Amino acid sequence: MTTDWYAWHADYDQPDSALSRRLAEVRDQVRAALDTAPAGALRAVSLCAGQGSDLLPVLATHPRRDDVTARLVELDPRNAEVARRFAAEAGLHRVEVVVGDAARTDQYADLAPAHLVLACGIFGNIVDADIRNTVRHCAALCATGGTVVWTRHRREPDLVPTLCAWFAEEGFEPVALSSPADGVGVGAHRFTGMPRPLPAGATMFEFVR
């Protein structure tokens, strides 16, 4: 069965839903990353951005909003249009919404390494080998001192501890991790290494549903 990723967003509007709780935690981490980002121009990329719910509402009200050049990459044109309309109405003129395959490294070539990388709603929909591959590419997508915010469910077998170990292997240190009791799995890792060159024409992952 193919997921309708436009209809999927409806759970964000349900206060008691796991997605709603996850969204609140992700926004907290996005806000914290912007709060602690260095002075000057900032770059942000959002993979599988959906309707931009993770980033755009935070950016719209944040003091650093005009410092941020952002690219949101989303395959579903309906979701991309919602994000594009929100950005326009909020006056976020440095935000670009691209309809395309977010797994392709070429989508980010001119913005990498970025100060903020969002990989939300991905790790629960791809195989473990692709998760590992995406984490490896985060060391090219993310600038030194930059933050990756990611999500993964906490159902058994809980892959989150392994995910954290993979980030550590690639030069990231943990900033925040939601409690297993929350069930929603939101993490933030800061990159402490030197960014690798982002390989051209590479595919980081493929959705399995």
Side-chain angles (χ1 to χ4, degrees), residues 26-35 54-55 58 116 118 149:
V26 168
R27 287 177 176 174
D28 284 346
Q29 296 309 319
V30 170
R31 191 174 294 106
L34 292 174
D35 288 344
D54 297 326
L55 175 63
V58 176
L116 175 62
L118 295 179
V149 180

Side-chain angles (χ1 to χ4, degrees), residues 33 38 56 74 87 90 97 113 158 160 184 190:
L56 297 182
E74 167 59 30
V97 181
D158 185 358
V160 167
V184 293
R190 182 176 294 114

